[in-house]
Coordinates of all heavy atoms in Angstrom, one line a residue:
M503 N 119.6 109.2 111.0 CA 119.3 108.1 111.9 C 118.4 107.1 111.2 O 117.3 107.6 110.8 CB 119.0 108.5 113.3 CG 118.8 107.3 114.1 SD 117.8 107.6 115.6 CE 118.8 108.6 116.5
F504 N 118.6 105.9 111.3 CA 117.6 104.9 110.8 C 116.8 104.3 111.9 O 117.5 103.8 112.9 CB 118.4 103.8 110.1 CG 117.5 102.7 109.6 CD1 116.7 102.9 108.4 CD2 117.4 101.5 110.1 CE1 115.8 101.9 107.9 CE2 116.6 100.5 109.7 CZ 115.8 100.7 108.6
K505 N 115.6 104.4 111.9 CA 114.7 103.8 113.0 C 113.8 102.7 112.3 O 113.3 102.9 111.3 CB 113.8 104.9 113.5 CG 114.5 105.9 114.5 CD 113.4 106.8 115.1 CE 114.0 107.7 116.1 NZ 113.0 108.5 116.8
L506 N 113.7 101.6 113.1 CA 112.8 100.6 112.7 C 111.4 100.9 113.1 O 111.2 101.2 114.3 CB 113.2 99.3 113.3 CG 114.5 98.7 112.7 CD1 114.8 97.4 113.4 CD2 114.3 98.4 111.2
N507 N 110.4 101.0 112.2 CA 109.1 101.4 112.6 C 108.3 100.1 112.6 O 108.1 99.4 111.6 CB 108.5 102.3 111.5 CG 107.1 102.7 111.8 OD1 106.4 102.2 112.7 ND2 106.6 103.7 111.1
Q508 N 107.8 99.7 113.7 CA 107.1 98.4 113.8 C 105.5 98.7 113.9 O 104.8 97.9 114.3 CB 107.5 97.7 115.1 CG 109.0 97.3 115.1 CD 109.3 96.4 113.9 OE1 108.5 95.5 113.6 NE2 110.4 96.6 113.2
S509 N 105.1 99.8 113.3 CA 103.6 100.0 113.2 C 102.9 98.9 112.4 O 103.6 98.2 111.5 CB 103.3 101.4 112.7 OG 103.7 101.5 111.4
Q510 N 101.7 98.8 112.5 CA 100.9 97.8 111.7 C 100.7 98.3 110.3 O 100.3 97.4 109.5 CB 99.6 97.6 112.4 CG 99.7 97.0 113.8 CD 100.3 95.6 113.8 OE1 99.9 94.8 112.9 NE2 101.3 95.4 114.6
T511 N 100.9 99.5 109.9 CA 100.7 100.1 108.6 C 101.8 101.0 108.3 O 102.6 101.4 109.1 CB 99.4 100.9 108.5 OG1 99.4 101.9 109.4 CG2 98.2 100.0 108.8
F512 N 101.9 101.3 106.9 CA 102.9 102.3 106.5 C 102.2 103.0 105.2 O 101.3 102.5 104.6 CB 104.2 101.7 106.1 CG 104.1 100.7 104.8 CD1 104.4 101.2 103.6 CD2 103.8 99.4 105.0 CE1 104.3 100.4 102.5 CE2 103.7 98.5 103.9 CZ 104.0 99.0 102.7
E513 N 102.7 104.2 105.0 CA 102.1 105.1 103.9 C 103.1 105.0 102.7 O 104.3 105.0 103.0 CB 101.9 106.5 104.5 CG 100.9 106.6 105.5 CD 100.7 108.1 105.9 OE1 101.3 109.0 105.4 OE2 99.9 108.2 106.9
W514 N 102.6 105.2 101.5 CA 103.4 105.2 100.4 C 102.6 106.0 99.3 O 101.5 105.9 99.1 CB 103.6 103.7 99.8 CG 104.6 103.6 98.8 CD1 104.6 103.7 97.5 CD2 106.0 103.5 99.1 NE1 105.7 103.5 96.9 CE2 106.7 103.4 97.8 CE3 106.7 103.4 100.3 CZ2 108.1 103.3 97.8 CZ3 108.1 103.3 100.2 CH2 108.8 103.3 99.0
P515 N 103.4 106.9 98.6 CA 102.8 107.7 97.6 C 102.5 106.9 96.3 O 103.3 106.1 95.9 CB 103.8 108.9 97.3 CG 105.1 108.2 97.7 CD 104.8 107.2 98.9
V516 N 101.3 107.0 95.7 CA 101.0 106.4 94.5 C 100.8 107.4 93.4 O 100.0 108.4 93.6 CB 99.6 105.6 94.8 CG1 99.2 104.9 93.5 CG2 99.8 104.5 95.8
K517 N 101.5 107.2 92.3 CA 101.3 108.2 91.1 C 100.9 107.5 90.0 O 101.3 106.4 89.6 CB 102.7 108.9 90.9 CG 103.2 109.6 92.1 CD 104.6 110.1 91.9 CE 105.1 110.8 93.2 NZ 106.5 111.4 93.0
W518 N 100.0 108.1 89.1 CA 99.6 107.6 87.8 C 99.2 108.7 87.0 O 99.1 109.8 87.4 CB 98.6 106.5 88.0 CG 97.2 107.1 88.3 CD1 96.2 107.2 87.3 CD2 96.6 107.5 89.5 NE1 95.0 107.7 87.9 CE2 95.4 107.9 89.3 CE3 97.1 107.6 90.8 CZ2 94.5 108.4 90.3 CZ3 96.4 108.1 91.8 CH2 95.0 108.5 91.6
K519 N 99.0 108.4 85.7 CA 98.4 109.4 84.7 C 97.0 109.0 84.3 O 96.8 107.8 84.2 CB 99.4 109.4 83.4 CG 100.8 110.0 83.8 CD 101.5 110.3 82.5 CE 102.8 110.9 82.8 NZ 102.8 112.2 83.2
M520 N 96.2 110.0 84.2 CA 94.8 109.7 83.9 C 94.4 110.7 82.7 O 94.8 111.9 82.7 CB 94.0 110.0 85.1 CG 92.5 109.8 85.0 SD 91.7 109.9 86.5 CE 91.6 111.7 86.9
P521 N 93.7 110.2 81.7 CA 93.3 111.1 80.7 C 92.4 112.2 81.2 O 91.5 112.0 82.0 CB 92.5 110.2 79.7 CG 92.6 108.8 80.2 CD 93.2 108.9 81.6
G522 N 92.7 113.4 80.7 CA 91.9 114.6 81.0 C 91.3 115.2 79.8 O 91.2 114.7 78.7
D523 N 91.1 116.5 79.9 CA 90.5 117.3 78.7 C 91.7 117.5 77.6 O 92.3 118.5 77.8 CB 89.9 118.5 79.1 CG 88.7 118.4 79.9 OD1 87.9 117.3 79.7 OD2 88.4 119.2 80.8
G524 N 91.9 116.6 76.8 CA 92.9 116.7 75.8 C 94.4 116.5 76.2 O 95.3 116.7 75.4
K525 N 94.6 116.1 77.5 CA 96.0 115.8 77.9 C 95.9 114.8 79.1 O 94.9 114.6 79.7 CB 96.6 117.1 78.4 CG 96.0 117.8 79.6 CD 96.6 119.1 80.0 CE 95.8 119.7 81.2 NZ 96.5 120.9 81.5
M526 N 97.1 114.2 79.3 CA 97.2 113.3 80.5 C 97.5 114.2 81.8 O 98.2 115.1 81.8 CB 98.3 112.4 80.3 CG 98.1 111.4 79.1 SD 96.6 110.4 79.2 CE 97.2 109.3 80.4
L527 N 96.7 113.8 82.8 CA 96.8 114.5 84.1 C 97.7 113.6 85.0 O 97.5 112.4 85.1 CB 95.4 114.7 84.7 CG 94.4 115.4 83.9 CD1 93.1 115.4 84.6 CD2 94.9 116.8 83.7
D528 N 98.6 114.3 85.8 CA 99.4 113.6 86.8 C 98.5 113.5 88.1 O 98.1 114.5 88.5 CB 100.8 114.4 87.0 CG 101.7 114.3 85.8 OD1 101.7 113.2 85.2 OD2 102.3 115.3 85.5
C529 N 98.4 112.4 88.5 CA 97.6 112.2 89.8 C 98.4 111.5 90.9 O 99.3 110.7 90.5 CB 96.4 111.3 89.5 SG 95.3 111.9 88.2
T530 N 98.1 111.8 92.1 CA 98.8 111.2 93.2 C 97.9 111.1 94.4 O 96.9 111.9 94.5 CB 100.0 112.0 93.7 OG1 99.6 113.3 94.2 CG2 101.0 112.2 92.6
F531 N 98.1 110.1 95.2 CA 97.4 110.0 96.5 C 98.4 109.2 97.4 O 99.4 108.7 97.0 CB 96.1 109.4 96.5 CG 96.0 107.9 96.2 CD1 95.9 107.0 97.3 CD2 96.1 107.4 94.9 CE1 95.8 105.6 97.0 CE2 96.0 106.0 94.7 CZ 95.9 105.2 95.7
T532 N 98.1 109.2 98.7 CA 98.9 108.5 99.6 C 98.1 107.2 100.1 O 97.0 107.3 100.6 CB 99.2 109.3 100.8 OG1 99.9 110.4 100.5 CG2 100.1 108.5 101.9
A533 N 98.7 106.1 99.8 CA 98.1 104.8 100.2 C 98.6 104.4 101.5 O 99.8 104.6 101.9 CB 98.4 103.7 99.2
V534 N 97.7 103.8 102.4 CA 98.1 103.2 103.6 C 98.0 101.7 103.5 O 96.9 101.1 103.2 CB 97.2 103.7 104.7 CG1 97.7 103.2 106.1 CG2 97.3 105.3 104.8
F535 N 99.1 101.0 103.7 CA 99.2 99.6 103.5 C 99.4 98.8 104.7 O 100.0 99.4 105.7 CB 100.4 99.2 102.5 CG 100.2 99.7 101.2 CD1 100.8 100.8 100.7 CD2 99.4 98.9 100.3 CE1 100.7 101.2 99.3 CE2 99.3 99.3 98.9 CZ 99.9 100.5 98.5
K536 N 98.9 97.6 104.8 CA 99.1 96.7 106.0 C 100.6 96.3 105.9 O 101.0 95.9 104.8 CB 98.2 95.5 105.9 CG 98.3 94.6 107.0 CD 97.5 93.3 106.9 CE 96.2 93.4 106.2 NZ 95.5 92.1 106.1
R537 N 101.2 96.3 107.1 CA 102.7 95.8 107.0 C 102.6 94.3 107.2 O 101.9 93.8 108.1 CB 103.4 96.4 108.3 CG 104.9 96.1 108.2 CD 105.6 96.8 109.4 NE 105.4 98.3 109.4 CZ 106.1 99.1 108.7 NH1 107.0 98.7 107.9 NH2 105.9 100.4 108.8
C538 N 103.3 93.6 106.2 CA 103.3 92.1 106.2 C 104.6 91.6 106.2 O 105.6 92.2 105.6 CB 102.5 91.6 105.0 SG 100.8 92.1 104.8
D539 N 104.9 90.5 106.9 CA 106.2 89.9 106.7 C 106.2 89.0 105.5 O 105.3 88.9 104.7 CB 106.6 89.0 108.0 CG 105.6 87.9 108.2 OD1 105.0 87.3 107.3 OD2 105.5 87.4 109.3
T540 N 107.4 88.4 105.2 CA 107.5 87.6 103.9 C 106.5 86.5 103.8 O 105.8 86.4 102.7 CB 109.0 87.0 103.8 OG1 109.9 88.0 104.0 CG2 109.1 86.3 102.5
E541 N 106.2 85.7 104.7 CA 105.2 84.7 104.6 C 103.8 85.2 104.5 O 103.1 84.7 103.7 CB 105.3 83.7 105.9 CG 106.6 82.9 106.0 CD 106.8 82.0 104.8 OE1 105.8 81.4 104.3 OE2 107.9 82.0 104.2
Q542 N 103.5 86.3 105.1 CA 102.1 86.9 104.9 C 102.0 87.4 103.5 O 101.0 87.3 102.9 CB 102.0 88.0 105.9 CG 101.8 87.6 107.4 CD 101.9 88.7 108.3 OE1 102.6 89.7 108.1 NE2 101.1 88.7 109.4
M543 N 103.1 88.0 102.9 CA 103.0 88.5 101.5 C 102.8 87.3 100.5 O 102.1 87.4 99.5 CB 104.3 89.3 101.2 CG 104.2 90.7 101.8 SD 102.6 91.6 101.4 CE 102.7 91.7 99.7
K544 N 103.5 86.2 100.8 CA 103.4 85.1 99.9 C 101.9 84.6 99.9 O 101.4 84.3 98.8 CB 104.3 83.9 100.4 CG 105.7 84.1 100.0 CD 106.5 82.9 100.5 CE 108.0 83.1 100.3 NZ 108.8 82.0 100.9
A545 N 101.3 84.6 101.1 CA 99.9 84.2 101.2 C 98.9 85.2 100.5 O 97.9 84.9 99.9 CB 99.5 84.1 102.6
V546 N 99.3 86.5 100.5 CA 98.5 87.5 99.9 C 98.5 87.4 98.4 O 97.5 87.5 97.7 CB 99.0 89.0 100.2 CG1 98.4 90.0 99.4 CG2 98.7 89.3 101.8
F547 N 99.7 87.1 97.7 CA 99.8 86.9 96.4 C 99.4 85.6 95.8 O 99.1 85.5 94.6 CB 101.3 87.2 95.9 CG 101.6 88.6 95.9 CD1 102.3 89.2 96.9 CD2 101.2 89.5 94.8 CE1 102.6 90.6 96.9 CE2 101.5 90.8 94.8 CZ 102.2 91.4 95.8
E548 N 99.2 84.5 96.6 CA 98.9 83.2 96.0 C 97.5 82.8 96.6 O 97.2 82.9 97.7 CB 100.0 82.3 96.7 CG 99.8 80.9 96.0 CD 101.0 80.0 96.4 OE1 102.1 80.3 96.0 OE2 100.7 79.0 97.1
A549 N 96.7 82.5 95.5 CA 95.4 82.0 95.9 C 95.4 80.6 96.5 O 96.5 79.9 96.5 CB 94.5 82.0 94.6
A550 N 94.3 80.1 97.1 CA 94.2 78.8 97.6 C 94.6 77.6 96.7 O 95.2 76.7 97.2 CB 92.8 78.6 98.2
D551 N 94.4 77.8 95.5 CA 94.7 76.8 94.5 C 96.1 76.9 94.0 O 96.6 76.1 93.1 CB 93.8 76.8 93.3 CG 93.8 78.0 92.5 OD1 94.6 78.9 92.8 OD2 93.0 78.1 91.5
G552 N 97.0 77.9 94.5 CA 98.4 77.9 94.1 C 98.6 78.9 93.0 O 99.8 79.2 92.6
T553 N 97.6 79.5 92.3 CA 97.7 80.4 91.2 C 97.9 81.8 91.9 O 97.6 82.1 93.1 CB 96.6 80.5 90.3 OG1 95.4 80.8 91.1 CG2 96.3 79.1 89.6
R554 N 98.4 82.7 91.1 CA 98.6 84.1 91.5 C 97.3 84.9 91.6 O 96.5 84.8 90.6 CB 99.6 84.8 90.6 CG 100.0 86.2 91.2 CD 100.9 87.0 90.2 NE 101.3 88.3 90.7 CZ 100.6 89.3 91.0 NH1 99.3 89.3 90.7 NH2 101.1 90.4 91.5
R555 N 97.0 85.5 92.6 CA 95.8 86.3 92.7 C 95.9 87.6 91.9 O 97.1 88.1 91.7 CB 95.6 86.7 94.2 CG 95.3 85.5 95.1 CD 95.3 85.9 96.6 NE 94.1 86.7 96.8 CZ 93.9 87.3 98.0 NH1 94.8 87.2 98.9 NH2 92.8 88.0 98.2
D556 N 94.8 88.1 91.4 CA 94.9 89.3 90.6 C 95.1 90.6 91.4 O 95.1 90.5 92.7 CB 93.6 89.4 89.7 CG 92.3 89.6 90.5 OD1 92.4 90.1 91.7 OD2 91.3 89.3 90.0
D557 N 95.5 91.6 90.7 CA 95.9 92.8 91.4 C 94.8 93.4 92.4 O 95.0 93.9 93.5 CB 96.2 94.0 90.4 CG 97.5 93.6 89.7 OD1 98.3 92.7 90.2 OD2 97.8 94.3 88.6
D558 N 93.5 93.3 91.9 CA 92.3 93.8 92.7 C 92.3 93.0 94.1 O 92.1 93.6 95.1 CB 91.1 93.6 91.9 CG 89.9 94.1 92.7 OD1 89.9 95.4 93.0 OD2 88.9 93.3 92.9
A559 N 92.5 91.7 94.0 CA 92.4 90.8 95.2 C 93.6 91.1 96.2 O 93.4 91.3 97.4 CB 92.4 89.4 94.9
V560 N 94.7 91.4 95.6 CA 95.9 91.8 96.4 C 95.7 93.1 97.1 O 95.9 93.3 98.3 CB 97.2 91.8 95.6 CG1 98.3 92.4 96.4 CG2 97.5 90.4 95.1
A561 N 95.2 94.1 96.3 CA 94.9 95.5 96.9 C 93.9 95.4 98.0 O 94.0 96.0 99.0 CB 94.5 96.4 95.8
R562 N 92.8 94.6 97.8 CA 91.8 94.5 98.8 C 92.4 93.9 100.1 O 91.8 94.2 101.2 CB 90.6 93.6 98.3 CG 89.8 94.4 97.3 CD 88.7 93.4 96.8 NE 88.0 94.1 95.7 CZ 87.1 94.9 95.8 NH1 86.6 95.4 97.0 NH2 86.5 95.4 94.7
E563 N 93.4 93.1 100.0 CA 94.0 92.5 101.2 C 94.9 93.4 102.0 O 95.0 93.4 103.2 CB 94.8 91.2 100.8 CG 95.4 90.4 101.9 CD 94.3 89.6 102.7 OE1 93.2 89.3 102.2 OE2 94.6 89.4 103.9
V564 N 95.7 94.2 101.3 CA 96.8 95.0 101.9 C 96.6 96.5 102.0 O 97.1 97.3 102.8 CB 98.1 94.8 101.3 CG1 98.6 93.3 101.4 CG2 98.2 95.2 99.8
L565 N 95.6 97.1 101.1 CA 95.3 98.5 101.1 C 94.3 98.8 102.3 O 93.2 98.3 102.1 CB 94.8 99.0 99.8 CG 94.5 100.5 99.7 CD1 95.8 101.3 99.9 CD2 93.8 100.8 98.3
V566 N 94.6 99.5 103.2 CA 93.7 99.7 104.4 C 93.1 101.0 104.4 O 92.1 101.3 105.1 CB 94.3 99.3 105.8 CG1 94.7 97.8 105.8 CG2 95.5 100.1 106.0
D567 N 93.7 102.1 103.8 CA 93.2 103.5 103.8 C 93.9 104.2 102.7 O 94.8 103.7 102.1 CB 93.4 104.1 105.1 CG 92.6 105.2 105.4 OD1 91.7 105.6 104.6 OD2 92.7 105.9 106.5
W568 N 93.4 105.4 102.4 CA 94.1 106.3 101.5 C 93.9 107.8 102.0 O 92.9 108.1 102.7 CB 93.7 106.1 100.1 CG 92.2 106.3 99.9 CD1 91.4 107.4 99.9 CD2 91.3 105.1 99.6 NE1 90.1 107.1 99.6 CE2 90.0 105.7 99.5 CE3 91.5 103.9 99.5 CZ2 88.9 104.9 99.2 CZ3 90.4 103.0 99.2 CH2 89.1 103.6 99.0
K569 N 94.8 108.6 101.6 CA 94.8 110.0 102.0 C 94.9 110.9 100.7 O 95.5 110.4 99.7 CB 95.9 110.3 103.0 CG 95.8 109.6 104.3 CD 97.0 109.9 105.2 CE 96.8 109.1 106.5 NZ 97.9 109.4 107.4
H570 N 94.5 112.1 100.8 CA 94.7 113.1 99.7 C 93.8 112.7 98.5 O 94.2 112.9 97.4 CB 96.1 113.3 99.4 CG 96.9 113.6 100.6 ND1 97.9 112.7 101.0 CD2 96.9 114.5 101.6 CE1 98.5 113.2 102.0 NE2 97.9 114.2 102.4
V571 N 92.6 112.2 98.8 CA 91.6 111.8 97.8 C 90.4 112.5 98.0 O 89.9 112.5 99.1 CB 91.4 110.3 97.7 CG1 90.3 109.9 96.7 CG2 92.7 109.5 97.5
Q572 N 89.8 113.2 96.9 CA 88.5 113.9 97.1 C 87.7 113.7 95.8 O 88.2 113.5 94.7 CB 88.7 115.3 97.4 CG 89.4 116.1 96.4 CD 89.5 117.6 96.7 OE1 89.3 118.5 95.9 NE2 89.8 117.9 98.0
G573 N 86.4 113.8 96.1 CA 85.4 113.6 94.9 C 85.2 114.9 94.2 O 85.9 116.0 94.6
E574 N 84.5 115.0 93.2 CA 84.2 116.1 92.5 C 83.6 117.3 93.3 O 83.8 118.5 93.1 CB 83.2 115.9 91.2 CG 83.8 115.1 90.2 CD 82.9 114.9 89.0 OE1 82.2 115.9 88.6 OE2 82.9 113.7 88.5
D575 N 82.9 117.0 94.4 CA 82.3 117.9 95.2 C 83.3 118.4 96.3 O 82.9 119.3 97.1 CB 81.0 117.3 95.9 CG 81.4 116.1 96.8 OD1 82.5 115.7 96.9 OD2 80.4 115.7 97.5
G576 N 84.5 117.9 96.2 CA 85.6 118.4 97.2 C 85.5 117.7 98.5 O 86.4 117.9 99.3
A577 N 84.6 116.8 98.7 CA 84.6 116.0 100.0 C 85.6 114.8 99.9 O 85.9 114.3 98.9 CB 83.2 115.5 100.2

């Protein structure tokens, strides 16, 4: 069954490779993103002067939390 979820956020798995001790490590975490409609997303990607915003600026706007992330101390 397909259900429409109208929550303000949604979770998405993020995967990447990171250099480790002599090999590449597979890394993952769960990102929590702000749910945006089409017009809101256009505004997120476009700066006030009409140029495209960089990835860092976009992430700061739509990434609201993350899960399954811990520091070296395990916290």
Side-chain angles (χ1 to χ4, degrees):
M503 176 197 296
F504 178 74
K505 284 186 174 184
L506 291 176
N507 182 350
Q508 297 300 317
S509 67
Q510 297 297 311
T511 61
F512 66 94
E513 296 180 6
W514 195 263
V516 176
K517 300 177 183 180
W518 78 98
K519 291 191 180 286
M520 183 171 75
D523 293 328
K525 63 181 177 178
M526 295 300 285
L527 304 173
D528 292 321
C529 301
T530 62
F531 73 96
T532 301
V534 182
F535 292 101
K536 183 186 329 181
R537 189 177 302 278
C538 299
D539 64 24
T540 302
E541 290 303 313
Q542 290 168 323
M543 284 308 299
K544 285 180 184 177
V546 166
F547 281 101
E548 190 173 291
D551 64 1
T553 60
R554 187 185 185 289
R555 295 172 70 192
D556 64 24
D557 293 343
D558 184 59
V560 171
R562 288 178 188 277
E563 183 73 26
V564 297
L565 181 65
V566 296
D567 199 2
W568 53 75
K569 299 178 179 181
H570 313 116
V571 176
Q572 63 178 223
E574 290 183 43
D575 63 357

